[in-house]
Every structure is written in structure tokens, then in C-alpha cells.
Amino acid sequence: MSFEFTIENKQRFEGYLKRYPQKKAALLPSLWLVQEQQGWISPESMEYLAGLLDLTPAHIFETATFYTMYNMKPIGKHHIQVCNSICCCLRGSEGVVQYLKKKLGVNVGESTADKRFHLSAVECLGSCGTAPMMQINNDYYEDLNEAKIDEILEKLK
Amino acid sequence: MEYVLTKNWHVPDQRKISVAEKNDAYSSLKKVFGMTPLQIIEEVKASGLRGRGGAGFATGIKWGFIPKDNKKPVYLINNFDESEPGTFKDRMIAEKDPHMIIEGMIIASFAIGAHTAFIYIRGEYHRPWEILEEALKEAYAKGYLGKNILGSGFDLDIFTHRGAGAYICGEETALLSSLEGGRGYPRIKPPFPAIAGAWACPTIVNNVETLSNIPYIINNGAAAFKKIGTEKSAGTKLMSASGHINKPGVYEVEMGLPIRTFLEEHLGGVWKGRKVKGVVPGGSSFAPLTNEEAMRTNLDFESCAAAGTSLGSGGFYVMDDTTCMVRLLQFTTKFYAHESCGQCTPCREGSGWISKIARRIESGNGRERDLNLLEDVCSNVVNGRTICVFADAMAMPVQGFLKKFRHEFEEHIRLGKCPHG
């Protein structure tokens, strides 16, 4: 399971280095690049970044694990993040979480057996005016109800 | 009232630079490059603009903190880590009028002498980030960014930098730690970022909405801006309205607007014909107001402070009279327990402890002494016992809920269940 950036990603990485006075600052964007390329942050990819950025693998690991959005293990293709924070809770986000658990047959923090979906409950996503809502990969889905959830998941093969 | 920030939100394709230019985007730059940086700072000081990210610090005064004899590079950072529960205004600015943000950043960079600026945007905001990237590309192509902007001799590069899921990175020094490629750990102040910030160089960190106000101030003058709002809270405020109301969304209001008017005339009142039980006017980190308190409070910094809360970042949410306040506090404390960065023991341990007690009471297993215990833990984390004010932001709502809705907590403990069912 060795890791290496694709040619295109290597170029993007080189571009990041030019933005900052110190290499180390390119760490977060580089981790995003790794995740974009293979879906998660593997130990090999951290070793690889350590070499590129003159950092220790330990520093990369401790940084990556601080943030919630870097996947430290492989997860399902569509990452469903249900906002379960204060304002969404006022408008029924718990029901959304329950419904998705039942519908997908998984607990929060798990992927479906076919690896199509991964379910997370997260804190405020900054879409309180359209509560309840969820994020799936890069997109927000708002003003949710059960019928709408069915429709959204149906489209995501 | 005159709209400062949202006047072009209804324009289709306002994101495109050609459309934005027709609506005066970047028109302030000619004027800016004819002024000295000091003149711009004085203008912003005179406008009375205060930070819109939560703390409400005077923007011009902050800019003036950059040391005069500085030989190091200066950085401007646009804090787009908007993560305060209840707040979603900055995302709307980026989605509706991204060039306004960039224009504000160009002016601010010129004023403080920065040639590199960063937009630190929370990782979850993937689409807004793409919109900003596109807008930056357009601004470079038009010569508003890059070398020798509009022949002024001023160079500026703006880069985006994505966070990856951490509320604490909205705290300016945690943001700097994160930008530099590490965990988002806050730093002890002083030194303040204006003296030693990113890479130990002078750095100004401003919120998205704060920077978006700058073009108006330059175009129309400080006096025009100061005319809007109240004496100590100049200008308008973007309010993110959510919770139990009929018309949630982002509203630009003149500072000083009574909450009663805002609720009845802008938000269409409480949903389902119910009544207000509580209002949080500025985001989850501040004390809630009872209905009675809310109805005599206005949306400006001083009125909210006098009511024992804060206008903060304008995260305005309403709880109707069927809301269980114990449950709401449980959700609030869950957030802080999850988001404490873990650097300081009182906050790391205290946030988890507070959350556990709140959960215990909510689930009907509360004990007589739990309310005093909650207050005790709160008083042990606030007032400078931690590196940053996160612990205070956690304690303020807890103390507020306990003070104002104590009977609900007592009832939960006495009955061993939620009276609301």
C-alpha cells in the first residue's frame, strides 16, 4: 500500500509550497490532496508527506488526528454528515439521524456493508437557517424530511 | 435603511466579476491607491467599524497595532472559519457576493502593508471555497490582484487555506497554529498577532463580514457609515436567524433594531403560532435571554451587553415555549465538549464533565447537588484560567441557562424525567 502523489497532484503540491514562507504550512492542503486521491490518510501517505515536507511522521499524525474531516481509515463512498448541533436539534435533526440509522442499517460512525454510505453526526455546519440538514461529500442538503432523504440517497449510486 | 452588505444579493450572476463590476465592485480601489495607508486606517477608525466575528473589537484600532518600525513581512488573514452554532452569514456573503470580500481584503492589505493574504476557510465549506477560488482567479485576470495592481506599485497575493473541521480554529491564534501546519492550538496573548502572528510576523486577522464592510466605508466615507446604527455600534449587522421562527435566513439589519421588531417584522414571528421562551442573539457562546429580556433588548453591542449577553457573531436563534431548556443545554454542552482543543486541563476536563452532568440531568438521572456542581465547574474554568476564551464561551451559556431556567433543571431532577415528555 505505498503512496505517491499522481503527477497532477504533485504539481498542485509544488504550487502549495510557493504560498508559504515555510514548508510546514503546506501540511493541511497536502492532507486534503491525499484524501482527494485515495479517500483517507494512510500511514504510508503520512510517511510520504513527512519526506516531502521535512516533518516527522508523528507530527503529521498528531495534526491529522486533531481535525474531524481527515479520514484516518477508509470509509464508504458517500460520507453523510448529519448536523446534530443546537439549531438543527431545534428543528428535528435527531429524527434525521435515527431515520438514516434505520434506513442504512448502520450506527453513527459506520459504513454500510456495500461501502456505499458512511454515516456521521457532526457539529454545526453553518446552515442553521435550513435545518435540519446534512452534508454528503462536498454538498449540502437542506430542509430535510424523510421523503427528501429517500430521494437524495436514491440518486447517489 | 441603506444596505451595506446585501444590496446585490438579489442580482443574478453577481458572483461573476463582469456583473459585480457593473455594481461597483473594485470601484473603491482607485480612491484607495490615491490615499496613504495611514489615511485609510484613520478613515476606518473614524467609521466606528467593530469586528463582526464575535468580539466586536474596533477594526481601525486593530490595524493601527502593526508596529511602525517593522521590517518583517506583514500578513492579512481573513477568518472564514465560521463555526459558531447559529451563525451562517459569512457563507452567504461568499455565495452571493464573493468579490466584495476580495475588495475588502485588497484595501485592508494596502492599509497594513501586507503583500500576502490568506482566506482561512473551514473545510466543510467546500462549495463556498470553490466560489472564492473562481472569484480570485477572475480578480487576478483583471489585474486587481498580483503585481503592480492598477499601476499603483502595490503587489498582493491572496490564497485560500482550508481548515479541516475544528471550531477552535476560529480563535485567531488557533487559526495561526493551524495555518502554520499544526494542531489548532491557541497561543497565549500577548504577544498579539499584530505584533507576532503568522510565522512570528505582524498579522491582522479579520472576519469575513468585517472586511466586506470596508469598500462601503472607502466609497462613501466614514461619516456615511457612522450615520447607520447606534453611537457605539456603527453600521449594519448580518443576523443569521434560525430555530423556531417562520422565516429563517440571513438578514441585514441596522444596529439598534429592537429584537421585538426583528422577530415580528422580519422573521414572521414564532412558528406554529407559539410563544417565545428564550432567544440567543449572538451565537451559542453567550447567555440566552428570556422572552421578557429579549423584548427590551436591541440588536447592537451595548444593548446586548447590558442584557448580560452579546451580539457576538449575530447567530440569532429562538426557542418556542415547548422547548426543553435542559435538552437544549445538553446539546450546547455536547458541542463544547466535542470542540475543546485539549490544550488546557480545566477546559479539556471541564467541558467533558459539564457535558456529562447535563446529559445526566436530561436523561432523568440528575442529582440534587448537580446544579451546584455545574456552577462550580464553570467558575473554575472562566476568567483567565485557560489560554483562550473557549472555556468562558462554554461557561457563559451554562451559567445563563441555570440562572434563567433553573426551575426546569430542578424539575428534571425531582421528577427523574423530562416534564415536556
Side-chain angles (χ1 to χ4, degrees), chain A residues 20 62 91 94 124 139, chain B residues 122 127 161 182-183 243 327:
Chain A
Y20 309 102
E62 74 164 29
R91 290 181 89 110
E94 277 173 304
C124 188
D139 288 299
Chain B
R122 67 180 293 190
R127 298 298 177 210
H161 185 97
R183 294 183 146 221
R327 184 166 165 269

Side-chain angles (χ1 to χ4, degrees), chain A residues 3 6 11 13 20-22 24-25 27 36 38-39 54-55 62 73 76 79 85-86 94 105 111 113 116 128 131 138:
Chain A
F3 179 88
T6 59
Q11 283 172 338
F13 169 80
Y20 309 102
Q22 287 175 5
K24 185 180 155 192
L27 178 53
E36 206 178 297
Q38 63 166 18
D54 299 335
L55 296 167
E62 74 164 29
K73 59 178 200 290
H79 187 187
S85 204
I86 305 162
E94 277 173 304
S111 297
R116 204 171 123 199
C128 324
N138 299 333

Side-chain angles (χ1 to χ4, degrees), chain A residues 56-85:
Chain A
T56 61
H59 175 81
I60 297 187
F61 184 73
E62 74 164 29
T63 303
T65 52
F66 180 81
Y67 300 94
T68 56
M69 293 185 76
Y70 295 129
N71 304 322
M72 302 313 285
K73 59 178 200 290
I75 61 164
K77 183 177 161 193
H78 300 290
H79 187 187
I80 303 172
Q81 300 180 75
V82 183
C83 178
N84 201 26
S85 204

Side-chain angles (χ1 to χ4, degrees), chain A:
Chain A
M1 270 297 284
S2 67
F3 179 88
E4 207 176 324
F5 278 139
T6 59
I7 292 167
E8 190 200 343
N9 283 347
K10 189 72 200 292
Q11 283 172 338
R12 285 166 73 190
F13 169 80
E14 300 291 348
Y16 294 150
L17 291 182
K18 294 193 183 99
R19 297 179 177 183
Y20 309 102
Q22 287 175 5
K23 267 186 179 181
K24 185 180 155 192
L27 178 53
L28 265 68
S30 305
L31 286 165
W32 277 118
L33 214 48
V34 171
Q35 186 150 302
E36 206 178 297
Q37 188 172 317
Q38 63 166 18
W40 68 298
I41 310 293
S42 57
E44 294 81 4
S45 68
M46 289 190 265
E47 297 263 353
Y48 173 76
L49 284 186
L52 289 180
L53 293 166
D54 299 335
L55 296 167
T56 61
H59 175 81
I60 297 187
F61 184 73
E62 74 164 29
T63 303
T65 52
F66 180 81
Y67 300 94
T68 56
M69 293 185 76
Y70 295 129
N71 304 322
M72 302 313 285
K73 59 178 200 290
I75 61 164
K77 183 177 161 193
H78 300 290
H79 187 187
I80 303 172
Q81 300 180 75
V82 183
C83 178
N84 201 26
S85 204
I86 305 162
C87 300
C88 276
C89 127
L90 285 172
R91 290 181 89 110
S93 62
E94 277 173 304
V96 173
V97 176
Q98 293 307 333
Y99 183 70
L100 281 162
K101 275 166 68 173
K102 202 172 76 190
K103 187 176 167 68
L104 300 171
V106 294
N107 277 318
V108 171
E110 293 177 352
S111 297
T112 53
D114 62 2
K115 292 282 177 274
R116 204 171 123 199
F117 294 108
H118 182 86
L119 181 64
S120 301
V122 299
E123 292 301 341
C124 188
L125 288 173
S127 190
C128 324
T130 48
M133 62 78 67
M134 64 185 173
Q135 178 168 19
I136 304 182
N137 295 351
N138 299 333
D139 288 299
Y140 278 21
Y141 296 89
E142 299 163 318
D143 296 313
L144 296 174
N145 55 45
E146 291 184 3
K148 214 167 172 180
I149 293 170
D150 290 346
E151 201 181 316
I152 292 161
L153 297 194
E154 193 49 45
K155 281 189 186 139
L156 296 171
K157 293 294 178 208

Side-chain angles (χ1 to χ4, degrees), chain B residues 54-75:
Chain B
F57 191 80
T59 308
I61 292 175
K62 191 193 265 192
W63 291 4
F65 288 153
I66 299 278
K68 298 285 167 283
D69 53 352
N70 168 57
K71 301 277 184 290
K72 292 177 175 175
V74 176
Y75 295 101

Side-chain angles (χ1 to χ4, degrees), chain B residues 89-213:
Chain B
K89 62 187 174 73
D90 296 340
R91 181 168 67 92
M92 296 309 284
I93 304 176
E95 288 181 1
K96 304 278 190 193
D97 202 352
H99 288 287
M100 187 183 251
I101 302 173
I102 297 169
E103 186 179 358
M105 287 181 76
I106 297 167
I107 302 165
S109 299
F110 180 72
I112 63 171
H115 299 289
T116 307
F118 294 97
I119 302 174
Y120 185 102
I121 181 166
R122 67 180 293 190
E124 293 88 344
Y125 282 1
H126 198 279
R127 298 298 177 210
W129 168 66
E130 288 174 344
I131 292 164
L132 277 172
E133 281 281 315
E134 187 55 35
L136 286 170
K137 245 192 238 145
E138 288 181 322
Y140 269 103
K142 286 267 185 171
Y144 295 128
L145 289 172
K147 294 262 177 277
N148 190 17
I149 298 168
L150 305 182
S152 64
F154 178 66
D155 304 339
L156 175 66
D157 283 311
I158 298 182
F159 302 112
T160 59
H161 185 97
R162 293 179 67 207
Y167 168 72
I168 196 61
C169 291
E171 197 278 339
E172 62 178 1
T173 59
L175 186 156
L176 297 172
S177 303
S178 178
L179 176 74
E180 290 177 14
R183 294 183 146 221
Y185 281 159
R187 303 168 180 180
I188 291 175
K189 295 191 260 195
F192 286 91
I195 310 298
W199 302 286
C201 300
T203 304
I204 294 293
V205 184
N206 282 142
N207 162 272
V208 177
E209 185 188 346
T210 310
L211 290 163
S212 300
N213 275 294

